[in-house]
Structure formats: structure tokens, C-alpha cells
Amino acid sequence: MSFKPWLQYILRTTGVLQSVDQLRLWRRQLTHTASNRRFTQEYPDFAVPPAHLAFDAYNTIDYDAYRRYGLQAATYIYSLIQQYGSHPTGDILEWGCGPARVIRHIPHLMAPGEGRVLGTDYNYETIRWCNDAIHTVHFLPNTLTPPLPFQTDHFRAVYAISVFTHLSEDVSNDWADELYRILQPGGVLIATLHGDTFQSMLLPHEKQAYQSAGVVIRGSIEEGKKMFVSYHSPAYVRTRLFRQFEVLHHELGQPSTLGSTQDVWVLMKR
């Protein structure tokens, strides 16, 4: 194990982790100033989010990566919806959309009349920016806890990229039930989680909890923020978190088209 998990543990328990993260934001702004200027000159019509919103959601403010990995992830997510979904048409929701890195590309992948694309997030400033900048998607705010303002059995597909990874156990379970509610029977949920690949990053007591209880929560930070981190074992996901779903596909954490080593889960509402 590297020293980084121990350093984060010390910063977290002493209450200064958020302040250190702010310093990292300023450093990233300096690092990417020139490259981001070149990007905006090359893509003058491509709206990019404010630096603090991008950093809060993605831990980076690299505009080229924002565009490139967003399109790559959207293409992959949409291919999973087509491959595993039971419904060829209907609305698609990104729950926890952040500053629209992925969802902004989804409408361009869909056929005319295939359905609407909606995004929700608990960061109201992010939703305001999305509605001002992205006009092919309808954005709505949600709160940290359910419910969502949608009817039961509404969506053809819902996806959540690294959202459950920043929630507590009880809140995650409540959201799993809510996403099940708003999906159509035969609809699919696509979610990414910190799984077995991340065991090497866990401290000894965390690894013991992961292997025995199946879930580890690193709190002492505002829930929902990127430094509030949770880890879920595959057994826990199947028997607890997504127990009401049928598992259609589980991709172990490997460097993937989503640009991370998180596990990818494709689940169907029975």
C-alpha cells in the first residue's frame, strides 16, 4: 500500500481534507491554463463548465479530457442500453449527471423520436449551468435523498457513473429502491462502483470491513462530495444494494472506456 491512503486518512480525521482539496483545485487551474485556452480556441462553440464545478465532479479541469472521455463514455453507456435494454424507445435518465460531461453526447447517439434524455443532480449550481449551456437535455435538481419527481415505471434506462461511490450505505440503499421504482419493467440500470480492484487502496481496518461486511464508507466529509468515498464488494452489490434487480452484466474493474477502474454493473428491473 502506498502512503497516499494514510495521508488522506490523517487529513480526513483532522478535518483539513477539504481545504487541501481547494489547494489542489488552484494548482490544477495553473497546470491547465494553456491547454484549456487552446481548447476553447479550437472548439469555440463547445460550452465548458466553470472550473470549480468540473473539479468538484471529476477531480480535473482538463477541457480536452472533459470532451474526449465524455463522448467515449456516452458511446459506451448507450451501447450497453442498446445491448441489454428490453425497450427500443423511451426516456433515458442520468442520475447524478454533474456538469454534463457524458449526458450532453447521448442525444446525438439516439435516433429521432427514440426518446428524451434527462439529467438530475443534487448540486443546484451545476443544474443551472447545465440548463443554460446544454439545450438538447432537460435537467432537474434532486436532493441528496429520494424521491425523484418522476412517475413509477417511467424510464427505459437509468445510468449513474460514480454516484453510489460517494454516498452512505443507507442513502445508497434508498436510492437503489428509488431507481428501481422509476424504471419500466425490463428497463436497465447501469451503475459504476468501487469494487475489488480498489482493495489495494484500503487501510487494514477498511480491508477487513470490506471482506466481512462488503461495504466501506470514508466519511467525515459532506456526503455526496467526491472526497466522501464508498466501496462495495460484488457479493454486497448482488445481495444487498441491488438485491431487487436481475444482474445482466458485471464488468470487473479494468481500465475501460469509462476512463476508470470502477466495476460496471448492468441490472434489469424484473
Side-chain angles (χ1 to χ4, degrees), residues 135-182:
H135 302 130
T136 55
V137 177
H138 183 53
F139 295 95
L140 295 167
N142 61 256
T143 52
L144 183 65
T145 56
L148 290 169
F150 306 117
Q151 294 182 347
T152 299
D153 300 340
H154 179 85
F155 287 96
R156 159 195 179 191
V158 177
Y159 67 94
I161 301 174
S162 196
V163 182
F164 287 102
T165 50
H166 303 290
L167 298 175
S168 64
E169 184 175 9
D170 288 343
V171 171
S172 291
N173 288 327
D174 289 344
W175 275 115
D177 292 341
E178 175 66 0
L179 300 183
Y180 188 89
R181 180 189 70 81
I182 64 173

mmCIF file of all heavy atoms in Angstrom, residues 135-182:
data_model
loop_
_atom_site.group_PDB
_atom_site.id
_atom_site.type_symbol
_atom_site.label_atom_id
_atom_site.label_comp_id
_atom_site.label_asym_id
_atom_site.label_seq_id
_atom_site.Cartn_x
_atom_site.Cartn_y
_atom_site.Cartn_z
ATOM 1 N N HIS A 135 -28.720 22.422 -24.377
ATOM 2 C CA HIS A 135 -30.134 22.597 -24.698
ATOM 3 C C HIS A 135 -30.767 21.361 -25.332
ATOM 4 O O HIS A 135 -31.943 21.390 -25.699
ATOM 5 C CB HIS A 135 -30.307 23.808 -25.617
ATOM 6 C CG HIS A 135 -29.786 25.077 -25.014
ATOM 7 N ND1 HIS A 135 -28.936 25.930 -25.674
ATOM 8 C CD2 HIS A 135 -29.983 25.616 -23.775
ATOM 9 C CE1 HIS A 135 -28.629 26.954 -24.889
ATOM 10 N NE2 HIS A 135 -29.254 26.783 -23.736
ATOM 11 N N THR A 136 -30.014 20.276 -25.460
ATOM 12 C CA THR A 136 -30.571 19.032 -26.004
ATOM 13 C C THR A 136 -30.997 18.071 -24.902
ATOM 14 O O THR A 136 -31.489 16.982 -25.185
ATOM 15 C CB THR A 136 -29.535 18.337 -26.902
ATOM 16 O OG1 THR A 136 -28.319 18.146 -26.157
ATOM 17 C CG2 THR A 136 -29.245 19.171 -28.147
ATOM 18 N N VAL A 137 -30.794 18.474 -23.654
ATOM 19 C CA VAL A 137 -31.124 17.638 -22.493
ATOM 20 C C VAL A 137 -31.946 18.481 -21.529
ATOM 21 O O VAL A 137 -31.715 19.691 -21.390
ATOM 22 C CB VAL A 137 -29.840 17.130 -21.797
ATOM 23 C CG1 VAL A 137 -30.185 16.332 -20.544
ATOM 24 C CG2 VAL A 137 -28.993 16.295 -22.754
ATOM 25 N N HIS A 138 -32.891 17.838 -20.844
ATOM 26 C CA HIS A 138 -33.685 18.526 -19.823
ATOM 27 C C HIS A 138 -33.109 18.182 -18.456
ATOM 28 O O HIS A 138 -32.998 16.999 -18.097
ATOM 29 C CB HIS A 138 -35.144 18.089 -19.897
ATOM 30 C CG HIS A 138 -36.033 18.816 -18.933
ATOM 31 N ND1 HIS A 138 -36.096 20.190 -18.854
ATOM 32 C CD2 HIS A 138 -36.893 18.348 -17.980
ATOM 33 C CE1 HIS A 138 -36.939 20.543 -17.912
ATOM 34 N NE2 HIS A 138 -37.439 19.452 -17.364
ATOM 35 N N PHE A 139 -32.717 19.204 -17.697
ATOM 36 C CA PHE A 139 -32.056 18.997 -16.407
ATOM 37 C C PHE A 139 -32.969 19.429 -15.258
ATOM 38 O O PHE A 139 -33.632 20.462 -15.327
ATOM 39 C CB PHE A 139 -30.757 19.803 -16.343
ATOM 40 C CG PHE A 139 -29.715 19.365 -17.330
ATOM 41 C CD1 PHE A 139 -29.593 20.004 -18.554
ATOM 42 C CD2 PHE A 139 -28.860 18.315 -17.039
ATOM 43 C CE1 PHE A 139 -28.637 19.614 -19.469
ATOM 44 C CE2 PHE A 139 -27.890 17.911 -17.943
ATOM 45 C CZ PHE A 139 -27.777 18.559 -19.161
ATOM 46 N N LEU A 140 -32.943 18.630 -14.193
ATOM 47 C CA LEU A 140 -33.729 18.904 -12.994
ATOM 48 C C LEU A 140 -32.862 18.675 -11.756
ATOM 49 O O LEU A 140 -32.013 17.779 -11.740
ATOM 50 C CB LEU A 140 -34.945 17.971 -12.923
ATOM 51 C CG LEU A 140 -36.020 18.116 -14.000
ATOM 52 C CD1 LEU A 140 -36.951 16.916 -13.949
ATOM 53 C CD2 LEU A 140 -36.803 19.399 -13.786
ATOM 54 N N PRO A 141 -33.086 19.453 -10.708
ATOM 55 C CA PRO A 141 -32.361 19.187 -9.463
ATOM 56 C C PRO A 141 -33.016 18.065 -8.668
ATOM 57 O O PRO A 141 -34.220 17.837 -8.764
ATOM 58 C CB PRO A 141 -32.477 20.521 -8.712
ATOM 59 C CG PRO A 141 -33.778 21.085 -9.179
ATOM 60 C CD PRO A 141 -33.931 20.660 -10.613
ATOM 61 N N ASN A 142 -32.204 17.350 -7.921
ATOM 62 C CA ASN A 142 -32.739 16.415 -6.932
ATOM 63 C C ASN A 142 -32.071 16.712 -5.591
ATOM 64 O O ASN A 142 -31.113 17.488 -5.522
ATOM 65 C CB ASN A 142 -32.515 14.954 -7.341
ATOM 66 C CG ASN A 142 -31.055 14.567 -7.499
ATOM 67 O OD1 ASN A 142 -30.551 14.446 -8.627
ATOM 68 N ND2 ASN A 142 -30.350 14.371 -6.391
ATOM 69 N N THR A 143 -32.576 16.138 -4.543
ATOM 70 C CA THR A 143 -31.974 16.299 -3.225
ATOM 71 C C THR A 143 -31.048 15.113 -2.953
ATOM 72 O O THR A 143 -30.960 14.176 -3.745
ATOM 73 C CB THR A 143 -33.056 16.393 -2.147
ATOM 74 O OG1 THR A 143 -33.952 15.280 -2.278
ATOM 75 C CG2 THR A 143 -33.861 17.678 -2.315
ATOM 76 N N LEU A 144 -30.348 15.165 -1.831
ATOM 77 C CA LEU A 144 -29.404 14.098 -1.502
ATOM 78 C C LEU A 144 -30.112 12.767 -1.299
ATOM 79 O O LEU A 144 -29.531 11.703 -1.530
ATOM 80 C CB LEU A 144 -28.611 14.474 -0.248
ATOM 81 C CG LEU A 144 -27.524 13.487 0.180
ATOM 82 C CD1 LEU A 144 -26.417 13.395 -0.866
ATOM 83 C CD2 LEU A 144 -26.935 13.890 1.538
ATOM 84 N N THR A 145 -31.355 12.819 -0.893
ATOM 85 C CA THR A 145 -32.132 11.607 -0.660
ATOM 86 C C THR A 145 -33.358 11.588 -1.580
ATOM 87 O O THR A 145 -33.782 12.634 -2.059
ATOM 88 C CB THR A 145 -32.583 11.516 0.807
ATOM 89 O OG1 THR A 145 -33.323 12.703 1.141
ATOM 90 C CG2 THR A 145 -31.377 11.393 1.737
ATOM 91 N N PRO A 146 -33.939 10.402 -1.815
ATOM 92 C CA PRO A 146 -35.122 10.317 -2.692
ATOM 93 C C PRO A 146 -36.302 11.071 -2.070
ATOM 94 O O PRO A 146 -36.268 11.429 -0.896
ATOM 95 C CB PRO A 146 -35.387 8.810 -2.741
ATOM 96 C CG PRO A 146 -34.115 8.158 -2.298
ATOM 97 C CD PRO A 146 -33.485 9.103 -1.329
ATOM 98 N N PRO A 147 -37.361 11.321 -2.887
ATOM 99 C CA PRO A 147 -37.608 10.736 -4.214
ATOM 100 C C PRO A 147 -37.211 11.663 -5.350
ATOM 101 O O PRO A 147 -36.822 12.812 -5.134
ATOM 102 C CB PRO A 147 -39.127 10.551 -4.194
ATOM 103 C CG PRO A 147 -39.604 11.758 -3.407
ATOM 104 C CD PRO A 147 -38.567 11.970 -2.331
ATOM 105 N N LEU A 148 -37.334 11.129 -6.583
ATOM 106 C CA LEU A 148 -37.206 11.913 -7.801
ATOM 107 C C LEU A 148 -38.602 12.287 -8.299
ATOM 108 O O LEU A 148 -39.569 11.581 -8.028
ATOM 109 C CB LEU A 148 -36.483 11.093 -8.881
ATOM 110 C CG LEU A 148 -34.992 10.821 -8.643
ATOM 111 C CD1 LEU A 148 -34.479 9.787 -9.631
ATOM 112 C CD2 LEU A 148 -34.180 12.111 -8.748
ATOM 113 N N PRO A 149 -38.729 13.374 -9.053
ATOM 114 C CA PRO A 149 -40.050 13.851 -9.486
ATOM 115 C C PRO A 149 -40.543 13.159 -10.759
ATOM 116 O O PRO A 149 -40.980 13.816 -11.700
ATOM 117 C CB PRO A 149 -39.798 15.342 -9.732
ATOM 118 C CG PRO A 149 -38.389 15.392 -10.210
ATOM 119 C CD PRO A 149 -37.657 14.321 -9.427
ATOM 120 N N PHE A 150 -40.474 11.830 -10.769
ATOM 121 C CA PHE A 150 -40.896 11.080 -11.946
ATOM 122 C C PHE A 150 -41.885 9.995 -11.541
ATOM 123 O O PHE A 150 -41.829 9.478 -10.419
ATOM 124 C CB PHE A 150 -39.696 10.440 -12.650
ATOM 125 C CG PHE A 150 -38.604 11.407 -13.006
ATOM 126 C CD1 PHE A 150 -37.336 11.289 -12.458
ATOM 127 C CD2 PHE A 150 -38.852 12.455 -13.882
ATOM 128 C CE1 PHE A 150 -36.329 12.180 -12.769
ATOM 129 C CE2 PHE A 150 -37.848 13.358 -14.203
ATOM 130 C CZ PHE A 150 -36.582 13.224 -13.649
ATOM 131 N N GLN A 151 -42.744 9.640 -12.485
ATOM 132 C CA GLN A 151 -43.738 8.603 -12.224
ATOM 133 C C GLN A 151 -43.084 7.226 -12.162
ATOM 134 O O GLN A 151 -42.011 6.997 -12.728
ATOM 135 C CB GLN A 151 -44.816 8.621 -13.312
ATOM 136 C CG GLN A 151 -45.673 9.873 -13.326
ATOM 137 C CD GLN A 151 -46.753 9.821 -14.391
ATOM 138 O OE1 GLN A 151 -46.718 8.967 -15.280
ATOM 139 N NE2 GLN A 151 -47.720 10.720 -14.310
ATOM 140 N N THR A 152 -43.753 6.317 -11.491
ATOM 141 C CA THR A 152 -43.314 4.922 -11.435
ATOM 142 C C THR A 152 -43.332 4.325 -12.844
ATOM 143 O O THR A 152 -44.189 4.659 -13.666
ATOM 144 C CB THR A 152 -44.237 4.123 -10.504
ATOM 145 O OG1 THR A 152 -44.147 4.689 -9.186
ATOM 146 C CG2 THR A 152 -43.859 2.659 -10.453
ATOM 147 N N ASP A 153 -42.359 3.452 -13.120
ATOM 148 C CA ASP A 153 -42.277 2.735 -14.407
ATOM 149 C C ASP A 153 -42.119 3.686 -15.585
ATOM 150 O O ASP A 153 -42.693 3.471 -16.654
ATOM 151 C CB ASP A 153 -43.525 1.862 -14.635
ATOM 152 C CG ASP A 153 -43.725 0.806 -13.564
ATOM 153 O OD1 ASP A 153 -42.747 0.482 -12.866
ATOM 154 O OD2 ASP A 153 -44.850 0.309 -13.436
ATOM 155 N N HIS A 154 -41.333 4.732 -15.426
ATOM 156 C CA HIS A 154 -41.243 5.752 -16.483
ATOM 157 C C HIS A 154 -40.097 5.515 -17.463
ATOM 158 O O HIS A 154 -40.273 5.633 -18.675
ATOM 159 C CB HIS A 154 -41.099 7.139 -15.872
ATOM 160 C CG HIS A 154 -40.971 8.235 -16.888
ATOM 161 N ND1 HIS A 154 -42.060 8.842 -17.475
ATOM 162 C CD2 HIS A 154 -39.872 8.805 -17.465
ATOM 163 C CE1 HIS A 154 -41.658 9.741 -18.353
ATOM 164 N NE2 HIS A 154 -40.323 9.747 -18.365
ATOM 165 N N PHE A 155 -38.893 5.207 -16.963
ATOM 166 C CA PHE A 155 -37.698 5.272 -17.796
ATOM 167 C C PHE A 155 -37.342 3.937 -18.441
ATOM 168 O O PHE A 155 -37.421 2.877 -17.814
ATOM 169 C CB PHE A 155 -36.499 5.778 -16.990
ATOM 170 C CG PHE A 155 -36.576 7.249 -16.685
ATOM 171 C CD1 PHE A 155 -37.077 7.686 -15.464
ATOM 172 C CD2 PHE A 155 -36.192 8.186 -17.627
ATOM 173 C CE1 PHE A 155 -37.165 9.038 -15.180
ATOM 174 C CE2 PHE A 155 -36.279 9.549 -17.354
ATOM 175 C CZ PHE A 155 -36.772 9.977 -16.131
ATOM 176 N N ARG A 156 -36.899 4.039 -19.660
ATOM 177 C CA ARG A 156 -36.344 2.888 -20.381
ATOM 178 C C ARG A 156 -34.994 2.479 -19.797
ATOM 179 O O ARG A 156 -34.654 1.308 -19.719
ATOM 180 C CB ARG A 156 -36.196 3.288 -21.849
ATOM 181 C CG ARG A 156 -35.226 2.501 -22.678
ATOM 182 C CD ARG A 156 -34.944 3.265 -23.970
ATOM 183 N NE ARG A 156 -33.998 2.585 -24.811
ATOM 184 C CZ ARG A 156 -33.430 3.129 -25.887
ATOM 185 N NH1 ARG A 156 -33.749 4.361 -26.231
ATOM 186 N NH2 ARG A 156 -32.573 2.457 -26.617
ATOM 187 N N ALA A 157 -34.210 3.474 -19.380
ATOM 188 C CA ALA A 157 -32.883 3.210 -18.829
ATOM 189 C C ALA A 157 -32.479 4.350 -17.914
ATOM 190 O O ALA A 157 -32.843 5.508 -18.136
ATOM 191 C CB ALA A 157 -31.850 3.037 -19.940
ATOM 192 N N VAL A 158 -31.723 4.006 -16.878
ATOM 193 C CA VAL A 158 -31.119 4.978 -15.965
ATOM 194 C C VAL A 158 -29.652 4.596 -15.831
ATOM 195 O O VAL A 158 -29.323 3.408 -15.733
ATOM 196 C CB VAL A 158 -31.789 4.961 -14.580
ATOM 197 C CG1 VAL A 158 -31.083 5.924 -13.626
ATOM 198 C CG2 VAL A 158 -33.273 5.294 -14.681
ATOM 199 N N TYR A 159 -28.771 5.590 -15.844
ATOM 200 C CA TYR A 159 -27.362 5.281 -15.580
ATOM 201 C C TYR A 159 -26.798 6.261 -14.557
ATOM 202 O O TYR A 159 -27.255 7.398 -14.436
ATOM 203 C CB TYR A 159 -26.526 5.241 -16.861
ATOM 204 C CG TYR A 159 -26.355 6.551 -17.583
ATOM 205 C CD1 TYR A 159 -25.235 7.357 -17.356
ATOM 206 C CD2 TYR A 159 -27.284 6.981 -18.528
ATOM 207 C CE1 TYR A 159 -25.063 8.556 -18.033
ATOM 208 C CE2 TYR A 159 -27.115 8.182 -19.214
ATOM 209 C CZ TYR A 159 -26.001 8.963 -18.962
ATOM 210 O OH TYR A 159 -25.827 10.146 -19.629
ATOM 211 N N ALA A 160 -25.814 5.770 -13.811
ATOM 212 C CA ALA A 160 -25.210 6.548 -12.728
ATOM 213 C C ALA A 160 -23.722 6.225 -12.694
ATOM 214 O O ALA A 160 -23.332 5.124 -12.299
ATOM 215 C CB ALA A 160 -25.859 6.203 -11.390
ATOM 216 N N ILE A 161 -22.916 7.178 -13.122
ATOM 217 C CA ILE A 161 -21.469 6.979 -13.185
ATOM 218 C C ILE A 161 -20.837 7.558 -11.927
ATOM 219 O O ILE A 161 -20.861 8.772 -11.709
ATOM 220 C CB ILE A 161 -20.880 7.643 -14.444
ATOM 221 C CG1 ILE A 161 -21.522 7.054 -15.707
ATOM 222 C CG2 ILE A 161 -19.366 7.462 -14.491
ATOM 223 C CD1 ILE A 161 -21.103 7.741 -16.987
ATOM 224 N N SER A 162 -20.307 6.683 -11.097
ATOM 225 C CA SER A 162 -19.619 7.081 -9.864
ATOM 226 C C SER A 162 -20.477 7.989 -9.000
ATOM 227 O O SER A 162 -20.054 9.061 -8.559
ATOM 228 C CB SER A 162 -18.284 7.774 -10.191
ATOM 229 O OG SER A 162 -17.463 7.829 -9.039
ATOM 230 N N VAL A 163 -21.707 7.534 -8.728
ATOM 231 C CA VAL A 163 -22.601 8.251 -7.822
ATOM 232 C C VAL A 163 -22.744 7.491 -6.503
ATOM 233 O O VAL A 163 -22.552 8.057 -5.425
ATOM 234 C CB VAL A 163 -23.982 8.483 -8.460
ATOM 235 C CG1 VAL A 163 -24.886 9.270 -7.513
ATOM 236 C CG2 VAL A 163 -23.850 9.219 -9.791
ATOM 237 N N PHE A 164 -23.051 6.209 -6.594
ATOM 238 C CA PHE A 164 -23.108 5.392 -5.378
ATOM 239 C C PHE A 164 -21.760 5.379 -4.661
ATOM 240 O O PHE A 164 -21.700 5.087 -3.467
ATOM 241 C CB PHE A 164 -23.516 3.958 -5.723
ATOM 242 C CG PHE A 164 -24.964 3.801 -6.086
ATOM 243 C CD1 PHE A 164 -25.349 3.676 -7.413
ATOM 244 C CD2 PHE A 164 -25.948 3.779 -5.111
ATOM 245 C CE1 PHE A 164 -26.687 3.526 -7.758
ATOM 246 C CE2 PHE A 164 -27.288 3.638 -5.440
ATOM 247 C CZ PHE A 164 -27.652 3.513 -6.770
ATOM 248 N N THR A 165 -20.697 5.703 -5.367
ATOM 249 C CA THR A 165 -19.356 5.724 -4.786
ATOM 250 C C THR A 165 -19.140 6.875 -3.811
ATOM 251 O O THR A 165 -18.085 6.963 -3.184
ATOM 252 C CB THR A 165 -18.306 5.826 -5.909
ATOM 253 O OG1 THR A 165 -18.674 6.916 -6.775
ATOM 254 C CG2 THR A 165 -18.256 4.547 -6.727
ATOM 255 N N HIS A 166 -20.139 7.768 -3.681
ATOM 256 C CA HIS A 166 -19.985 8.937 -2.801
ATOM 257 C C HIS A 166 -21.177 9.104 -1.862
ATOM 258 O O HIS A 166 -21.478 10.223 -1.446
ATOM 259 C CB HIS A 166 -19.776 10.189 -3.650
ATOM 260 C CG HIS A 166 -18.600 10.095 -4.563
ATOM 261 N ND1 HIS A 166 -17.300 10.106 -4.112
ATOM 262 C CD2 HIS A 166 -18.522 9.929 -5.914
ATOM 263 C CE1 HIS A 166 -16.469 9.983 -5.134
ATOM 264 N NE2 HIS A 166 -17.192 9.866 -6.240
ATOM 265 N N LEU A 167 -21.823 7.973 -1.548
ATOM 266 C CA LEU A 167 -22.987 8.003 -0.674
ATOM 267 C C LEU A 167 -22.829 7.015 0.470
ATOM 268 O O LEU A 167 -22.121 6.013 0.355
ATOM 269 C CB LEU A 167 -24.256 7.669 -1.469
ATOM 270 C CG LEU A 167 -24.637 8.615 -2.613
ATOM 271 C CD1 LEU A 167 -25.847 8.074 -3.361
ATOM 272 C CD2 LEU A 167 -24.909 10.027 -2.078
ATOM 273 N N SER A 168 -23.543 7.276 1.571
ATOM 274 C CA SER A 168 -23.543 6.368 2.712
ATOM 275 C C SER A 168 -24.353 5.125 2.392
ATOM 276 O O SER A 168 -25.084 5.061 1.386
ATOM 277 C CB SER A 168 -24.123 7.067 3.939
ATOM 278 O OG SER A 168 -25.488 7.405 3.702
ATOM 279 N N GLU A 169 -24.259 4.138 3.252
ATOM 280 C CA GLU A 169 -24.936 2.871 2.992
ATOM 281 C C GLU A 169 -26.452 3.035 2.956
ATOM 282 O O GLU A 169 -27.114 2.557 2.027
ATOM 283 C CB GLU A 169 -24.543 1.843 4.056
ATOM 284 C CG GLU A 169 -25.122 0.459 3.798
ATOM 285 C CD GLU A 169 -24.621 -0.584 4.788
ATOM 286 O OE1 GLU A 169 -23.956 -0.207 5.772
ATOM 287 O OE2 GLU A 169 -24.902 -1.772 4.577
ATOM 288 N N ASP A 170 -27.021 3.693 3.942
ATOM 289 C CA ASP A 170 -28.480 3.838 3.993
ATOM 290 C C ASP A 170 -29.001 4.660 2.813
ATOM 291 O O ASP A 170 -30.022 4.307 2.209
ATOM 292 C CB ASP A 170 -28.910 4.494 5.315
ATOM 293 C CG ASP A 170 -28.753 3.560 6.499
ATOM 294 O OD1 ASP A 170 -28.631 2.335 6.282
ATOM 295 O OD2 ASP A 170 -28.745 4.053 7.641
ATOM 296 N N VAL A 171 -28.314 5.750 2.497
ATOM 297 C CA VAL A 171 -28.757 6.589 1.385
ATOM 298 C C VAL A 171 -28.633 5.828 0.063
ATOM 299 O O VAL A 171 -29.510 5.917 -0.805
ATOM 300 C CB VAL A 171 -27.953 7.908 1.352
ATOM 301 C CG1 VAL A 171 -28.252 8.701 0.077
ATOM 302 C CG2 VAL A 171 -28.282 8.749 2.577
ATOM 303 N N SER A 172 -27.581 5.059 -0.095
ATOM 304 C CA SER A 172 -27.418 4.253 -1.315
ATOM 305 C C SER A 172 -28.552 3.255 -1.475
ATOM 306 O O SER A 172 -29.105 3.088 -2.570
ATOM 307 C CB SER A 172 -26.076 3.508 -1.281
ATOM 308 O OG SER A 172 -24.994 4.409 -1.397
ATOM 309 N N ASN A 173 -28.903 2.588 -0.386
ATOM 310 C CA ASN A 173 -29.996 1.612 -0.455
ATOM 311 C C ASN A 173 -31.323 2.280 -0.807
ATOM 312 O O ASN A 173 -32.125 1.739 -1.585
ATOM 313 C CB ASN A 173 -30.105 0.854 0.864
ATOM 314 C CG ASN A 173 -28.967 -0.123 1.072
ATOM 315 O OD1 ASN A 173 -28.458 -0.703 0.114
ATOM 316 N ND2 ASN A 173 -28.548 -0.309 2.315
ATOM 317 N N ASP A 174 -31.557 3.468 -0.250
ATOM 318 C CA ASP A 174 -32.786 4.199 -0.575
ATOM 319 C C ASP A 174 -32.820 4.587 -2.054
ATOM 320 O O ASP A 174 -33.871 4.506 -2.700
ATOM 321 C CB ASP A 174 -32.899 5.447 0.299
ATOM 322 C CG ASP A 174 -33.208 5.120 1.760
ATOM 323 O OD1 ASP A 174 -33.624 3.978 2.042
ATOM 324 O OD2 ASP A 174 -33.021 6.015 2.611
ATOM 325 N N TRP A 175 -31.675 5.000 -2.583
ATOM 326 C CA TRP A 175 -31.625 5.381 -3.995
ATOM 327 C C TRP A 175 -31.773 4.176 -4.916
ATOM 328 O O TRP A 175 -32.394 4.281 -5.987
ATOM 329 C CB TRP A 175 -30.334 6.137 -4.301
ATOM 330 C CG TRP A 175 -30.441 7.606 -4.013
ATOM 331 C CD1 TRP A 175 -29.758 8.323 -3.080
ATOM 332 C CD2 TRP A 175 -31.302 8.545 -4.672
ATOM 333 N NE1 TRP A 175 -30.130 9.641 -3.107
ATOM 334 C CE2 TRP A 175 -31.077 9.807 -4.082
ATOM 335 C CE3 TRP A 175 -32.245 8.439 -5.690
ATOM 336 C CZ2 TRP A 175 -31.762 10.957 -4.485
ATOM 337 C CZ3 TRP A 175 -32.930 9.582 -6.092
ATOM 338 C CH2 TRP A 175 -32.679 10.820 -5.493
ATOM 339 N N ALA A 176 -31.232 3.046 -4.529
ATOM 340 C CA ALA A 176 -31.420 1.837 -5.346
ATOM 341 C C ALA A 176 -32.900 1.498 -5.455
ATOM 342 O O ALA A 176 -33.397 1.148 -6.536
ATOM 343 C CB ALA A 176 -30.635 0.673 -4.742
ATOM 344 N N ASP A 177 -33.627 1.627 -4.351
ATOM 345 C CA ASP A 177 -35.075 1.388 -4.381
ATOM 346 C C ASP A 177 -35.786 2.410 -5.258
ATOM 347 O O ASP A 177 -36.721 2.069 -5.993
ATOM 348 C CB ASP A 177 -35.645 1.440 -2.958
ATOM 349 C CG ASP A 177 -35.173 0.287 -2.087
ATOM 350 O OD1 ASP A 177 -34.714 -0.733 -2.634
ATOM 351 O OD2 ASP A 177 -35.262 0.423 -0.843
ATOM 352 N N GLU A 178 -35.354 3.669 -5.195
ATOM 353 C CA GLU A 178 -35.999 4.718 -5.981
ATOM 354 C C GLU A 178 -35.751 4.532 -7.478
ATOM 355 O O GLU A 178 -36.662 4.717 -8.297
ATOM 356 C CB GLU A 178 -35.499 6.093 -5.527
ATOM 357 C CG GLU A 178 -35.998 7.264 -6.346
ATOM 358 C CD GLU A 178 -37.501 7.505 -6.245
ATOM 359 O OE1 GLU A 178 -38.200 6.759 -5.521
ATOM 360 O OE2 GLU A 178 -37.993 8.459 -6.891
ATOM 361 N N LEU A 179 -34.533 4.184 -7.847
ATOM 362 C CA LEU A 179 -34.244 3.967 -9.259
ATOM 363 C C LEU A 179 -34.997 2.750 -9.792
ATOM 364 O O LEU A 179 -35.442 2.735 -10.945
ATOM 365 C CB LEU A 179 -32.733 3.802 -9.474
ATOM 366 C CG LEU A 179 -31.880 5.001 -9.052
ATOM 367 C CD1 LEU A 179 -30.413 4.748 -9.369
ATOM 368 C CD2 LEU A 179 -32.357 6.293 -9.703
ATOM 369 N N TYR A 180 -35.171 1.744 -8.948
ATOM 370 C CA TYR A 180 -35.985 0.588 -9.331
ATOM 371 C C TYR A 180 -37.421 1.037 -9.592
ATOM 372 O O TYR A 180 -38.058 0.596 -10.553
ATOM 373 C CB TYR A 180 -35.941 -0.454 -8.215
ATOM 374 C CG TYR A 180 -36.575 -1.777 -8.573
ATOM 375 C CD1 TYR A 180 -35.833 -2.790 -9.171
ATOM 376 C CD2 TYR A 180 -37.917 -2.020 -8.305
ATOM 377 C CE1 TYR A 180 -36.416 -4.010 -9.491
ATOM 378 C CE2 TYR A 180 -38.515 -3.229 -8.627
ATOM 379 C CZ TYR A 180 -37.747 -4.227 -9.214
ATOM 380 O OH TYR A 180 -38.340 -5.424 -9.541
ATOM 381 N N ARG A 181 -37.917 1.932 -8.759
ATOM 382 C CA ARG A 181 -39.302 2.400 -8.899
ATOM 383 C C ARG A 181 -39.537 3.093 -10.229
ATOM 384 O O ARG A 181 -40.546 2.856 -10.908
ATOM 385 C CB ARG A 181 -39.655 3.363 -7.752
ATOM 386 C CG ARG A 181 -41.084 3.914 -7.821
ATOM 387 C CD ARG A 181 -41.333 5.021 -6.805
ATOM 388 N NE ARG A 181 -40.621 6.254 -7.106
ATOM 389 C CZ ARG A 181 -41.052 7.174 -7.997
ATOM 390 N NH1 ARG A 181 -42.172 6.972 -8.690
ATOM 391 N NH2 ARG A 181 -40.349 8.282 -8.199
ATOM 392 N N ILE A 182 -38.621 3.979 -10.637
ATOM 393 C CA ILE A 182 -38.875 4.792 -11.821
ATOM 394 C C ILE A 182 -38.544 4.074 -13.129
ATOM 395 O O ILE A 182 -38.877 4.570 -14.203
ATOM 396 C CB ILE A 182 -38.115 6.131 -11.753
ATOM 397 C CG1 ILE A 182 -36.600 5.910 -11.768
ATOM 398 C CG2 ILE A 182 -38.558 6.935 -10.545
ATOM 399 C CD1 ILE A 182 -35.805 7.203 -11.863
#
